[in-house]
Amino acid sequence: MPEEISITLPANLDLEFKNALQEEGITPSEFVSAALEEYLFVRRFRMLRERMIKQVQAQGIFADQDVFDRVS
């Protein structure tokens, strides 16, 4: 079941939001859903990257050259 939320935007962001809706030809719900989906994807990616960085640094890999040296 869809969840309804309410947000308050500063005037400048509200104007930009309304302009984007008009340019994209989508509803506020579609826009917010797409923006939230994209944000959560990027968040998952960053969290995974952070975990991976810790693991590879523990193996002495700190730069692209370190990776190249290992696979060459």
Side-chain angles (χ1 to χ4, degrees):
M1 172 177 263
E3 186 75 24
E4 186 173 318
I5 63 170
S6 176
I7 61 171
T8 303
L9 301 173
N12 62 323
L13 191 55
D14 184 53
L15 179 60
E16 194 169 347
F17 176 62
K18 288 176 181 172
N19 288 338
L21 293 177
Q22 186 175 4
E23 290 170 6
E24 297 288 327
I26 58 177
T27 67
S29 291
E30 291 169 327
F31 184 95
V32 171
S33 292
L36 185 56
E37 191 172 299
E38 184 176 329
Y39 173 84
L40 293 173
F41 175 84
V42 170
R43 181 178 180 270
R44 285 190 304 269
F45 175 82
R46 287 181 178 155
M47 291 173 70
L48 176 59
R49 182 177 182 276
E50 188 177 310
R51 284 198 332 248
M52 297 288 292
I53 286 173
K54 289 177 184 177
Q55 290 177 3
V56 297
Q57 286 179 346
Q59 297 175 30
I61 299 172
F62 295 95
D64 291 345
Q65 186 63 43
D66 298 329
V67 173
F68 181 77
D69 291 344
R70 294 231 178 164
V71 298
S72 296

